[in-house]
Amino acid sequence: MSKSCDFCKIEGGYGKLIRETPFWMIFLAPSQRYLGTCVVALKRQCKNLSDLDDEEWKDFIDTLRKLEYSLKEAFNPTLFNWSCFKNKTFRDGEHNPEIHWHFHPRYQDKVKFIGLEFEDPDFGYVPQPINVEVPDEVMMEIKEAILKNL
Amino acid sequence: MSKSCDFCKIEGGYGKLIRETPFWMIFLAPSQRYLGTCVVALKRQCKNLSDLDDEEWKDFIDTLRKLEYSLKEAFNPTLFNWSCFKNKTFRDGEHNPEIHWHFHPRYQDKVKFIGLEFEDPDFGYVPQPINVEVPDEVMMEIKEAILKNL
């Protein structure tokens, strides 16, 4: 059996689970280089977006709308980046791509949250896969702030 | 009046227009670093994906399914990357984001097309915004190959 994906819950999890919908799981991503970064992962194995069925799309669109609204209320980012890449599974010889969306809120200006200052060092450019972790209690506060309007 | 986006048709265009749908335009991207790279651009100004209405989403999903099928038939890529970023408009002081999707087919192995060999130098990693242009007659051949099953 192949190793499970970072985003798959079968053997552990990924970041902090914020909410489950009928077809998707919303995680607060381990890296908070961009405050409020989440991953929206499909609950089943699926290689391509064209293989999603209509119900899965409908649920994703609903989730996307709620997430953008909730993040706007929580941290007022300047804009949102969405991407569905599925590249990582090919690095180690495993070929088991899964559908997960990376949701990166982006910030033109510094933003303060619970006394901490967050910057977006790459604003105006594609999000960088550089890991920036914050203490667990800060993760919990970010999760709560997102949940407030989700 | 602000400058128009690269993807907007108001003042020119972007790459080679392959097809129009009711709400979207499919362009063959000027950079073919990843053979078959396209941009799917919304026909109206819209800042966030959460502002798309249901008809626009439905048309996008239909376009995505057709594009993935058509590319698979034409070049048999290993997988597909999709992203909606809207970052570039913020680089020059203009703040006029538009919805366009970057569609990057990705290739584990070299692929031959009309006697030319294409590689994916970044396979397994996020697509790089590095410009690789091909001669106009090759662009026309790629466009025709995509249109065959679109």
Side-chain angles (χ1 to χ4, degrees):
Chain A
M1 188 186 150
S2 67
K3 285 180 286 182
S4 74
C5 170
D6 282 351
F7 302 94
C8 168
K9 281 182 80 184
I10 297 170
E11 297 176 19
Y14 177 84
K16 289 216 173 304
L17 184 65
I18 294 180
R19 173 158 297 166
E20 288 197 49
T21 74
F23 300 105
W24 301 86
M25 295 175 292
I26 307 172
F27 295 96
L28 185 64
S31 176
Q32 292 294 306
R33 182 175 176 88
Y34 316 102
L35 177 62
T37 297
C38 294
V39 168
V40 180
L42 186 66
K43 287 181 176 178
R44 69 174 175 94
Q45 179 107 35
C46 179
K47 185 177 176 188
N48 291 314
L49 286 175
S50 52
D51 299 325
L52 291 183
D53 66 29
D54 290 345
E55 283 303 299
E56 290 165 337
W57 269 115
K58 201 173 163 214
D59 189 23
F60 171 70
I61 293 162
D62 184 53
T63 302
L64 176 149
R65 286 173 178 157
K66 286 176 180 163
L67 257 184
E68 289 198 352
Y69 174 75
S70 173
L71 263 287
K72 196 80 188 165
E73 293 293 310
F75 311 123
N76 196 29
T78 313
L79 81 162
F80 302 110
N81 293 172
W82 287 91
S83 54
C84 181
F85 284 154
K86 299 163 284 144
N87 297 316
K88 198 181 169 193
T89 184
F90 286 87
R91 282 179 214 167
D92 58 2
E94 303 284 349
H95 299 176
N96 220 16
E98 295 179 1
I99 299 286
H100 43 258
W101 290 92
H102 296 272
F103 173 56
H104 293 106
R106 306 300 303 273
Y107 301 86
Q108 187 158 32
D109 301 308
K110 290 176 187 170
V111 55
K112 276 199 173 174
F113 175 64
I114 58 164
L116 297 171
E117 202 166 63
F118 289 81
E119 288 188 77
D120 181 341
D122 314 299
F123 186 74
Y125 294 85
V126 297
Q128 294 300 309
I130 296 170
N131 204 35
V132 175
E133 294 191 11
V134 298
D136 203 57
E137 57 269 26
V138 178
M139 287 290 275
M140 287 307 296
E141 296 270 11
I142 297 172
K143 175 181 167 176
E144 289 307 314
I146 293 173
L147 269 174
K148 205 176 284 180
N149 291 286
L150 195 63
Chain B
M1 187 185 152
S2 67
K3 284 179 289 183
S4 74
C5 170
D6 281 353
F7 302 95
C8 168
K9 281 181 80 184
I10 297 169
E11 297 178 22
Y14 177 83
K16 287 214 174 305
L17 184 65
I18 293 180
R19 174 158 298 166
E20 287 195 50
T21 73
F23 299 106
W24 301 85
M25 295 175 290
I26 306 171
F27 295 96
L28 185 64
S31 175
Q32 291 295 304
R33 180 174 177 90
Y34 315 103
L35 176 63
T37 297
C38 294
V39 168
V40 180
L42 186 66
K43 288 182 176 176
R44 69 173 175 95
Q45 178 108 33
C46 179
K47 185 177 175 188
N48 291 313
L49 286 174
S50 52
D51 299 324
L52 291 183
D53 66 30
D54 290 346
E55 282 304 298
E56 289 165 338
W57 269 115
K58 200 172 164 215
D59 189 24
F60 171 70
I61 293 163
D62 183 54
T63 302
L64 176 150
R65 286 173 177 156
K66 286 177 179 163
L67 256 184
E68 288 199 353
Y69 174 76
S70 173
L71 264 285
K72 196 80 186 164
E73 294 294 308
F75 311 124
N76 196 30
T78 313
L79 80 161
F80 302 109
N81 293 171
W82 286 90
S83 54
C84 181
F85 283 153
K86 298 163 285 145
N87 296 317
K88 197 180 170 194
T89 181
F90 285 88
R91 281 179 215 165
D92 57 0
E94 302 284 349
H95 300 175
N96 221 16
E98 295 180 0
I99 300 285
H100 44 258
W101 291 91
H102 296 273
F103 172 57
H104 292 107
R106 306 300 303 272
Y107 302 86
Q108 187 158 34
D109 302 307
K110 290 176 187 172
V111 55
K112 276 199 174 175
F113 175 64
I114 56 166
L116 297 171
E117 202 166 63
F118 289 82
E119 287 188 78
D120 181 340
D122 314 300
F123 186 74
Y125 293 85
V126 297
Q128 295 300 309
I130 296 170
N131 204 35
V132 175
E133 294 191 12
V134 298
D136 203 56
E137 56 270 26
V138 178
M139 288 290 275
M140 287 306 297
E141 296 271 10
I142 297 172
K143 176 180 167 177
E144 289 306 315
I146 293 173
L147 269 174
K148 206 176 282 178
N149 291 285
L150 195 61

